[in-house]
Amino acid sequence: MKRKDPATKNQKYLAIFLAVTMFLSAFLIFFTADSKTDNDDVPTSETGEELITVPFSQVPGKHVQHEFNSIIDGLEMSPDGVTNAVYVDLQKTEGTPLEAIFGNRQTMNVSFSYGADVTKRYGASYDNESGFELHQIPEQKISMPLDTQAMPYQGYQILDRTNSTYNIWNVVGSPAIIGPVQNVVSVIGILEGNETSTTEYDQILSQANPEGSIYQEVAKRTNSTTDMPAEQYYRDLKKLDNGSYMQTSIYLNPEPEVSEKITAYQANSSERGVAYNVTTLDNITKLVISSDFENLYNESALLSI
């Protein structure tokens, strides 16, 4: 039998996690800064402007200070109306098939013109096709053009990262905020206690244990996602100490097909090398499956929920 090429496998893995990364296309805040110049030691922006590297400590005003170890921490900084959100620990993706899907921390550095590695990433999307991201930058520094403008707001300095294509603004800190200015302002409002963060996923997250996950996601049914098999769902993926993977899926008010599929495939799951653990609590169904990565992919494809 002909062995599958690793690249083909990665394409398969990409398919299963494509929905996870859909939020990135909602507001597309990538930069494609070109650091190749006549002098490779001098970075430039996408428009050719020379960049300077500024430690966060040299940016005046308040800096973001908020715990940032799970999707719950990201949601605590998110205004109401989140339709889906994803949290990725980029360090934990290294050496796994997910590294090619989500991009590693160096790729994030180039994409956002930071001049420093991003190790954790959170993104939230909204019905108006807008959103924002949070980025953990342990080196606590940022690259920017010499003429970067700053807008003072509530004691913070909102840095203008906008170019001819993107409406993007940054606030430094742990984590850094990046997105359209109106969304950045709303996040600051939450940090300052002037706005309230979203609580709509609290019920489903009460059954989750996101700590230590490679990625976590939440989503809810909207007018554009009417085919979702539940009112809300949560999913995370962890790599276990023995090298296998564990995926947790939690459904709030699931459709009957969810329980039907789980029951059907659980019956002979051991034949496919997959372990199942299913619990129900009132209107919540929780499914935990574990196996090696490829078997986990195949099982998720079978379930398609």
Side-chain angles (χ1 to χ4, degrees):
M1 180 181 293
K2 184 178 179 181
R3 294 178 61 87
K4 294 180 181 176
D5 184 78
T8 303
K9 284 189 176 182
N10 280 339
Q11 290 172 356
K12 285 176 57 184
Y13 299 149
L14 176 60
I16 190 172
F17 293 108
L18 187 58
V20 178
T21 56
M22 286 285 284
F23 80 102
L24 298 177
S25 63
F27 47 98
L28 196 62
I29 64 177
F30 286 106
F31 292 99
T32 54
D34 183 4
S35 60
K36 184 72 172 177
T37 65
D38 291 336
N39 181 354
D40 286 344
D41 294 327
V42 180
T44 62
S45 71
E46 136 183 293
T47 57
E49 299 173 279
E50 183 177 335
L51 299 176
I52 58 170
T53 299
V54 179
F56 286 0
S57 60
Q58 292 183 13
V59 178
K62 297 179 181 178
H63 295 174
V64 178
Q65 292 294 329
H66 194 279
E67 188 172 354
F68 193 54
N69 293 311
S70 73
I71 198 168
I72 294 174
D73 299 327
L75 289 167
E76 286 178 350
M77 297 174 65
S78 302
D80 278 333
V82 175
T83 55
N84 63 295
V86 176
Y87 176 96
V88 184
D89 188 323
L90 294 166
Q91 291 176 301
K92 287 186 170 64
T93 68
E94 293 176 0
T96 75
L98 297 181
E99 183 175 5
I101 296 168
F102 291 112
N104 61 27
R105 46 188 172 167
Q106 290 80 22
T107 301
M108 288 286 294
N109 171 4
V110 174
S111 296
F112 290 91
S113 306
Y114 278 136
D117 293 343
V118 174
T119 56
K120 297 176 182 177
R121 179 182 192 179
Y122 166 89
S125 293
Y126 293 82
D127 256 342
N128 60 0
E129 297 187 353
S130 184
F132 71 93
E133 292 204 17
L134 304 173
H135 298 153
Q136 189 70 38
I137 307 172
E139 294 175 75
Q140 297 283 285
K141 62 183 182 180
I142 188 171
S143 293
M144 63 182 76
L146 289 166
D147 60 351
T148 294
Q149 301 296 307
M151 180 180 71
Y153 183 76
Q154 297 284 306
Y156 297 83
Q157 296 293 321
I158 306 180
L159 305 175
D160 184 1
R161 309 271 283 171
T162 299
N163 57 27
S164 58
T165 305
Y166 306 108
N167 167 26
I168 300 301
W169 299 70
N170 249 147
V171 175
V172 302
S174 179
I177 311 168
I178 187 166
V181 67
Q182 65 272 20
N183 295 342
V184 173
V185 164
S186 291
V187 176
I188 291 175
I190 291 172
L191 295 174
E192 292 301 297
N194 301 322
E195 296 186 31
T196 57
S197 60
T198 182
T199 58
E200 56 199 317
Y201 296 101
D202 285 3
Q203 184 180 359
I204 198 168
L205 287 170
S206 69
Q207 303 303 311
N209 179 23
E211 297 297 334
S213 300
I214 298 175
Y215 87 84
Q216 301 130 51
E217 60 168 322
V218 291
K220 67 178 182 180
R221 185 184 290 142
T222 67
N223 291 335
S224 59
T225 58
T226 55
D227 58 343
M228 259 185 59
E231 183 179 325
Q232 294 179 4
Y233 79 83
Y234 163 87
R235 184 167 293 136
D236 68 35
L237 182 74
K238 298 178 182 179
K239 186 174 183 180
L240 304 179
D241 292 340
N242 63 4
S244 63
Y245 291 81
M246 181 174 73
Q247 178 178 286
T248 299
S249 302
I250 306 175
Y251 304 91
L252 175 67
N253 293 321
E255 298 293 333
E257 68 178 272
V258 172
S259 296
E260 292 168 4
K261 283 190 173 184
I262 291 174
T263 300
Y265 289 113
Q266 183 181 16
N268 57 356
S269 59
S270 60
E271 298 173 10
R272 298 185 299 279
V274 181
Y276 269 60
N277 187 300
V278 184
T279 56
T280 57
L281 178 65
D282 298 327
N283 57 345
I284 291 179
T285 296
K286 181 176 181 178
L287 167 65
V288 180
I289 56 176
S290 56
S291 188
D292 61 66
F293 195 90
E294 186 169 9
N295 282 343
L296 207 60
Y297 158 78
N298 290 330
E299 201 68 18
S300 295
L302 282 173
L303 288 164
S304 297
I305 52 175

